[in-house]
Amino acid sequence: MTQTRRMKILQAVVEDYIRTQEPVSSSGVASRHRIDVSPATVRNDMAVLEEEGYLTQPHTSAGRIPSEKGYRYFVDQLSSVVPLSQPQRRAIEEFLKGSVNVDDVLHRSAQLLARITGQVAVVAAPAITRSALRHCELLPVSHNAVLVVIITDTGRIEQRTLSSPLADKPDFLRRLMAQINDVCGNSSIQKAGRRIRSMDMELFMGSLFPAESPDASQHAARGCIEGIADIFDDVSSSDAAHSLYTTGASKLAHERNSQVENIAALLDALEEQIVVMHLMDNLASAARANRMDGVGIAIGSETHMPGLLHTAVVTSGYGVRHDTDSAGPSDNDSIAFVGSIGPTHMDYRITISAVRAVAQYLTRFMGNDQK
């Protein structure tokens, strides 16, 4: 009973501190929360919570504030996250519905999330390594050059130029393009390169080159196919990271009780995009794998980044990977992530709700875009 009461007191302290950002006193907890004990008992329990590392006391005469351990307990015990209201969801839909393409919707998502939370919003564009081939186009642009256009299921478009003496053989290019789309459609970009290399050469020979020797024709066709496969490999290997849309850092600088050194450390951390990307991506993947309602949270030292020591990170994956080479999409196979970075005293309920709502919208958007 005593331990249960202490944990209720801890939750009360965290809620009050998130709301006021002022040290919380025992008398304040006793008067504002339904804890049927005297202020003296609350004070004793708060002292025990401090000894156990859940609370700290910034000044001898002041009340107490949550520690990182206290915030972690509070987050882990959140029995419910109040979903956004219908008007809020409609506002999100209307704001994002005006997007003209994938880049625009991701940029707008970051702006909207920063506006809702008052914190830094980070939205990652789908990495091409997590995308599948929707369509490939082979377009002759001169007598010896072919434009290879790769369109992914997430709306990404990559273009490369291939030198080939077969650029003036439209029948060959049409047949090769149809075969690539048939064999590689819905495969990952990396696997598509391997599949192109293994295609049957006999499909492209026949009477396409009646004036040329079979050996010369086969050499030219093989060179063209190898060149296209190399392009797929290059596209896959050159884009192992996500592009990040980040906004809202200035909002934290104007927050009450914000400290200049903490803001400066956060801005420095955001410059390390690859590190931030891995942190948020891993959090989102772990949350899906562990059935944590799709939302991952790291607080303070849990981020393993000195620049984020005084912050909390809330993130969720969005989208579903589609690759016919795999057994099928699984719950932790998102194509990218969306997240919010703010102070450890952030309003976790609002932040979790907002991150989840934006992630759900982006999942629907990407799903519709793939049809």
Side-chain angles (χ1 to χ4, degrees):
M1 177 64 74
T2 300
Q3 186 64 16
T4 300
R5 185 186 67 225
R6 283 180 190 150
M7 292 302 104
K8 288 182 179 178
I9 290 173
L10 172 61
Q11 288 183 291
V13 173
V14 175
E15 289 173 356
D16 283 359
Y17 186 70
I18 287 174
R19 181 171 52 83
T20 67
Q21 281 122 68
E22 297 289 346
V24 181
S25 66
S26 55
S27 59
V29 170
S31 63
R32 284 190 295 269
H33 298 271
R34 294 181 178 179
I35 301 174
D36 194 21
V37 292
S38 67
T41 301
V42 173
R43 184 162 51 251
N44 290 337
D45 283 344
M46 288 174 67
V48 173
L49 289 168
E50 183 179 359
E51 291 175 2
E52 294 175 345
Y54 291 101
L55 299 176
T56 62
Q57 191 171 26
H59 306 291
T60 305
S61 59
R64 291 173 174 83
I65 65 176
S67 66
E68 183 180 302
K69 183 178 178 181
Y71 284 120
R72 172 46 65 188
Y73 179 85
F74 175 80
V75 168
D76 289 344
Q77 298 302 310
L78 280 178
S79 58
S80 64
V81 175
V82 179
L84 297 180
S85 66
Q86 282 300 112
Q88 288 173 317
R89 286 187 172 277
R90 280 197 297 271
I92 290 176
E93 298 276 347
E94 289 302 316
F95 182 78
L96 297 180
K97 207 186 305 181
S99 306
V100 296
N101 53 35
V102 173
D103 287 340
D104 190 32
V105 76
L106 297 179
H107 178 68
R108 284 171 174 253
S109 296
Q111 288 181 316
L112 180 64
L113 186 57
R115 185 186 304 174
I116 294 172
T117 63
Q119 299 162 177
V120 175
V122 179
V123 179
I128 206 164
T129 50
R130 294 191 181 183
S131 303
L133 176 66
R134 175 192 287 176
H135 188 71
C136 175
E137 284 280 341
L138 304 179
L139 305 172
V141 292
S142 72
H143 71 282
N144 65 350
V146 177
L147 181 65
V148 181
V149 183
I150 299 172
I151 305 172
T152 73
D153 62 346
T154 56
R156 179 79 170 266
I157 299 176
E158 292 287 333
Q159 301 181 109
R160 302 284 193 279
T161 301
L162 172 69
S163 296
S164 173
L166 303 181
D168 59 356
K169 299 288 185 179
D171 288 341
F172 169 79
L173 293 179
R174 279 194 296 270
R175 187 178 295 187
L176 176 58
M177 181 174 67
Q179 184 68 5
I180 289 174
N181 287 313
D182 182 55
V183 171
C184 304
N186 291 327
S187 293
S188 69
I189 302 302
Q190 185 178 41
K191 291 174 182 175
R194 294 200 296 268
R195 287 190 165 191
I196 291 171
R197 283 194 175 87
S198 64
M199 288 194 305
D200 186 357
M201 285 294 301
E202 295 300 320
L203 294 169
F204 311 108
M205 304 313 296
S207 60
L208 284 175
F209 311 103
E212 301 174 22
S213 69
D215 288 344
S217 298
Q218 184 166 345
H219 179 74
R222 174 50 64 190
C224 183
I225 292 171
E226 284 288 344
I228 294 171
D230 287 343
I231 287 174
F232 273 79
D233 291 347
D234 177 66
V235 167
S236 177
S237 63
S238 65
D239 189 52
H242 301 270
S243 296
L244 298 182
Y245 296 79
T246 305
T247 188
S250 61
K251 294 181 181 294
L252 288 180
H254 296 94
E255 185 199 49
R256 186 159 60 103
N257 293 336
S258 64
Q259 297 181 331
V260 174
E261 61 270 22
N262 293 344
I263 297 298
L266 171 59
L267 294 177
D268 288 341
L270 291 175
E271 290 294 319
E272 300 291 334
Q273 283 203 356
I274 298 297
V275 180
V276 172
M277 177 199 73
H278 284 304
L279 166 65
M280 302 186 82
D281 197 21
N282 290 339
L283 275 175
S285 297
R288 283 199 172 196
N290 296 325
R291 302 296 191 273
M292 296 163 58
D293 293 327
V295 177
I297 302 170
I299 303 171
S301 62
E302 295 172 357
T303 66
H304 303 291
M305 294 181 64
L308 300 182
L309 191 59
H310 301 284
T311 67
V313 178
V314 178
T315 185
S316 177
Y318 70 83
V320 179
R321 293 177 67 177
H322 294 278
D323 183 350
T324 56
D325 295 312
S326 64
S330 61
D331 287 343
N332 61 331
D333 280 341
S334 56
I335 59 174
F337 61 84
V338 55
S340 182
I341 304 175
T344 52
H345 60 261
M346 69 165 62
D347 189 321
Y348 288 94
R349 287 190 173 92
I350 287 179
T351 302
I352 292 170
S353 296
V355 167
R356 184 179 292 157
V358 173
Q360 289 171 347
Y361 179 89
L362 289 176
T363 295
R364 292 197 305 274
F365 178 87
M366 292 297 174
N368 291 333
D369 195 51
Q370 292 168 24
K371 294 176 181 178

